[in-house]
Amino acid sequence: MPPIIEIKNVKKTYHNEEVETTALRGVSFSVETGEFLSIMGPSGSGKSTLLHILGLLDQPSSGTYLFGGQDTTKFNEIERAHFRNKEIGFIFQSFHLLSRTTVLENVILPLQYSKVPKSDHEKIALEALEKVNMTKRLKHVPSQLSGGEKQRVAIARALVNKPRVIMADEPTGNLDSVSGKAVMETIENLHKMGHTIIVITHETPAARYSQRIIRVQDGLLVNDERNEEGIHKFYEK
């Protein structure tokens, strides 16, 4: 089976008036279906740019990005948006939940932009919330939830369209160590269910839940290694 994701010599340069900034300088790697990958790097390393390209939120200046064998660099804006909504689930550091909308309604929201029949929306949302152990908070609004609970709702929302890849951008960045541990255990459980996971993080404890860690620095991939160590010990109290 070919990799679910394959990027080859991807470069990204931003132009602002007369200033040119190179964020990625030729990055190549692949991700297998069912793999759990973390991408690490200091601020300004290019890891967020890389996530935006992987998530089809941005395009590379040059290079090739294959998703499921399809060359995404040839997609137009509408094709990218459709593909992104169908194939990729996003988890963000700041949750991005609607403040006056219940947990259940927040999770249903992506389905409203899909081809899934409206009659199935609640059932699918409930299944996703069950996976993250949030079915007891269906009628709560985000202000009534802890940070960890908000992130678990965001994870459920990322699941409802049954994406082939889940991408998480600093999923523990706004959480204390206890909540962060719970969120990473939730993501780890999704991986055990067969989901392909890509996590962008600067936090070593979060990264060590993954099978593989890629390190990016100055726009280059500087290390790509399997994570052979134990995981939960890195969140020891």
Side-chain angles (χ1 to χ4, degrees):
M1 182 182 295
I4 184 67
I5 282 176
E6 188 171 8
I7 67 170
K8 301 176 182 178
N9 198 30
V10 163
K11 300 179 182 179
K12 181 64 180 181
T13 300
Y14 294 100
H15 299 274
N16 183 11
E17 296 180 352
E18 296 181 359
V19 178
E20 183 176 283
T21 304
T22 301
L24 296 176
R25 302 175 185 275
V27 175
S28 301
F29 65 90
S30 61
V31 181
E32 301 297 328
T33 298
E35 192 169 15
F36 186 170
L37 168 71
S38 287
I39 301 175
M40 298 190 72
S43 178
S45 63
K47 66 181 186 297
S48 293
T49 299
L50 182 56
L51 179 70
H52 288 165
I53 290 172
L54 292 173
L56 298 178
L57 298 168
D58 201 354
Q59 289 182 295
S61 301
S62 63
T64 304
Y65 173 20
L66 302 179
F67 189 113
Q70 297 187 64
D71 187 352
T72 66
T73 58
K74 296 181 179 179
F75 291 174
N76 61 36
E77 189 172 343
I78 294 173
E79 289 170 333
R80 279 202 313 276
H82 176 75
F83 195 88
R84 184 171 61 237
N85 189 56
K86 182 174 181 289
E87 304 289 358
I88 302 170
F90 290 98
I91 304 166
F92 298 100
Q93 177 178 350
S94 55
F95 319 128
H96 290 186
L97 301 177
L98 299 181
S99 61
R100 298 182 181 180
T101 304
T102 67
V103 163
L104 182 59
E105 291 165 342
N106 265 288
V107 175
I108 285 174
L109 188 61
L111 293 169
Q112 296 177 355
Y113 302 95
S114 73
K115 295 181 180 179
V116 176
K118 190 173 182 179
S119 57
D120 293 336
H121 287 187
E122 184 169 323
K123 176 178 177 290
I124 292 170
L126 287 171
E127 289 173 351
L129 285 161
E130 187 173 358
K131 286 185 177 181
V132 299
N133 195 28
M134 283 296 293
T135 54
K136 295 181 180 179
R137 297 285 192 271
L138 299 181
K139 295 183 180 180
H140 288 63
V141 296
S143 62
Q144 297 172 310
L145 305 176
S146 68
E149 288 173 331
K150 290 176 185 176
Q151 194 59 290
R152 280 190 281 153
V153 173
I155 293 170
R157 184 185 56 195
L159 293 174
V160 291
N161 277 330
K162 296 179 172 56
R164 284 198 278 175
V165 178
I166 297 170
M167 299 186 184
D169 187 8
E170 301 284 2
T172 60
N174 283 338
L175 304 176
D176 59 45
S177 60
V178 174
S179 297
K181 178 178 183 293
V183 164
M184 289 311 302
E185 287 176 349
T186 299
I187 293 174
E188 182 193 17
N189 285 335
L190 295 179
H191 173 244
K192 289 177 179 177
M193 294 176 193
H195 293 283
T196 304
I197 311 282
I198 298 176
V199 172
I200 297 285
T201 183
H202 68 277
E203 298 178 339
T204 299
R208 283 177 171 163
Y209 274 79
S210 60
Q211 298 172 305
R212 177 181 165 205
I213 302 173
I214 283 177
R215 299 181 189 274
V216 180
Q217 186 171 336
D218 298 327
L220 295 169
L221 195 160
V222 296
N223 197 35
D224 185 347
E225 62 185 5
R226 302 295 297 178
N227 177 29
E228 304 295 344
E229 300 176 284
I231 51 177
H232 298 300
K233 66 181 181 180
F234 297 104
Y235 264 110
E236 289 177 352
K237 296 181 180 179

